[in-house]
Amino acid sequence: MTNMQKCGLVGVGFVGATCAYTLAVSGLFSEMVLVDMNRKKAESEAADINHGVSFAKPCHVHAGDYADLAGCGLIIIAAGANQKPGETRTELLGRNRVILSSIIEQIMQVNRDAVLLIVSNPVDVLTCMAHKLSGLPAGRVIGSGTVLDTARLKYLLGQRLGVDSRNVHAFIIGEHGDSELAVWSSANISGVDLDDYCRITGIVQPAAVLHEIYENVRDAAYSIIEGKGATYYGIGMAVRRIVEAIVRDEHSVLPVSSMISGHYGVEGICLGLPSIVGRGGAEAVLDIPLSQEELARLQSSARKMQELIDEVGG
């Protein structure tokens, strides 16, 4: 029996610690267990967060071991080697695969009923590996996918068009990385077609403007890592949004990464695609309309992911 008020988080580096903080103050959980190879680091992060709990909803945050993950309704995996300046997400794979294998093995010994949320990079490949290593149903092993990329897209579009980013409806899909793509064909501003909205705002060459925005989204992590060494605030907020949808059983549509079986001609790998997210994790993948060019780019992204998986025998 799992408890959706109890959350486990493995790995409290920059990303994991930020996720722990955003979730602890969210009011979603009554208990959070932090697991890390560096027990003292986990204890210190828990203490630091607990010292501010009186300003938020009650939540007991504590360091623990894998045995303490028993009963967790949700377990977040944020452990892994850090991305170095100039290093692509895919170059992280060799180092993080070994780490992930050990983590999944130890989690499965104490909890086979939780939803697993993978945040470590490269997230799509590691989500695929976690699914195969755990043997859990596909929907209960999900990755953060392109949720953050989509938020970046909405922010930059909103800034350029002078509109609240919450009224921008558009997705980044595919790999969370270099081969991701923006779905412009169905993008809109509160129901107004994006191209029409661009004309309304006086943008005379929308294709060029949109491509520049897409490139800024795609390369955002590289720019931030170059400036401050790591990205963690954005992904921390993205993880909170995914977790909200799971804990509250919202059935919200978010582009999480999960095992794809037949959608868009893709089979047997994990990619970020709009999915209905609720208590069961990724409960359904949606086939949103794509142009022929977008479909070709998505399938190309899928092939690149498959090549990586084949290369490491995942």
Side-chain angles (χ1 to χ4, degrees):
M1 180 69 70
T2 59
N3 177 8
M4 268 297 172
Q5 297 302 305
K6 180 181 179 181
C7 175
L9 195 152
V10 181
V12 290
F14 283 124
V15 171
T18 305
C19 289
Y21 167 74
T22 60
L23 294 175
V25 301
S26 70
L28 291 168
F29 300 109
S30 58
E31 180 182 0
M32 288 191 64
V33 183
L34 308 185
V35 177
D36 196 275
M37 289 180 62
N38 184 343
R39 176 67 181 240
K40 188 172 182 179
K41 174 75 157 58
E43 291 173 348
S44 297
E45 294 290 359
D48 198 9
I49 294 170
N50 281 327
H51 294 164
V53 163
S54 63
F55 303 122
K57 297 291 194 304
C59 180
H60 175 48
V61 184
H62 63 95
D65 299 313
Y66 283 95
D68 298 305
L69 299 179
C72 289
L74 174 70
I75 299 174
I76 301 166
I77 299 176
N82 292 328
Q83 188 174 6
K84 300 176 181 178
E87 182 181 39
T88 66
R89 292 181 178 93
T90 53
E91 288 172 340
L92 286 171
L93 180 57
R95 293 188 289 152
N96 281 339
R97 181 175 182 267
V98 175
I99 297 171
L100 180 72
S101 297
S102 174
I103 291 170
I104 295 296
E105 180 182 359
Q106 294 179 83
I107 291 174
M108 290 301 100
Q109 290 174 3
V110 298
N111 190 333
R112 296 191 59 84
D113 297 314
V115 173
L116 300 185
L117 173 56
I118 314 301
V119 183
S120 308
N121 278 319
V123 69
D124 304 292
V125 177
L126 293 180
T127 302
C128 187
M129 291 178 177
H131 166 65
K132 294 178 180 178
L133 289 166
S134 68
L136 296 179
R140 283 207 285 119
V141 183
I142 65 176
S144 52
T146 52
V147 174
L148 175 57
D149 311 83
T150 294
R152 288 168 171 160
L153 179 68
K154 290 182 177 183
Y155 169 75
L156 291 175
L157 271 174
Q159 289 289 298
R160 183 64 179 82
L161 299 177
V163 67
D164 188 336
S165 61
R166 293 173 296 180
N167 298 127
V168 177
H169 304 288
F171 287 108
I172 294 285
I173 63 172
E175 174 201 9
H176 171 58
D178 297 339
S179 68
E180 66 188 29
L181 64 137
V183 182
W184 298 126
S185 62
S186 59
N188 67 86
I189 310 298
S190 288
V192 179
D193 181 81
L194 181 58
D195 286 339
D196 291 338
Y197 201 94
C198 285
R199 283 192 288 271
I200 291 170
T201 56
I203 298 175
V204 294
Q205 292 183 310
V209 171
L210 296 180
H211 184 69
E212 181 181 1
I213 289 173
Y214 158 73
E215 288 184 330
N216 287 337
V217 170
R218 183 195 63 196
D219 300 335
Y222 299 130
S223 176
I224 294 170
I225 289 169
E226 182 180 358
K228 58 180 264 184
T231 68
Y232 37 90
Y233 296 132
I235 187 59
M237 289 185 281
V239 166
R240 172 175 169 165
R241 180 67 194 98
I242 297 168
V243 170
E244 280 180 336
I246 295 170
V247 173
R248 293 176 175 168
D249 199 22
E250 290 180 351
H251 305 293
S252 293
V253 177
L254 297 167
V256 296
S257 184
S258 65
M259 184 59 66
I260 307 302
S261 299
H263 298 273
Y264 304 106
V266 176
E267 188 75 38
I269 63 169
C270 294
L271 287 174
L273 289 174
S275 304
I276 297 175
V277 180
R279 185 65 56 86
E283 298 177 347
V285 177
L286 303 182
D287 290 279
I288 63 172
L290 301 179
S291 69
Q292 288 300 311
E293 179 185 355
E294 289 164 351
L295 176 60
R297 290 186 62 193
L298 176 62
Q299 292 174 340
S300 174
S301 182
R303 285 193 296 271
K304 290 179 180 179
M305 292 298 95
Q306 187 64 64
E307 288 169 2
L308 276 173
I309 293 169
D310 292 341
E311 183 178 328
V312 298

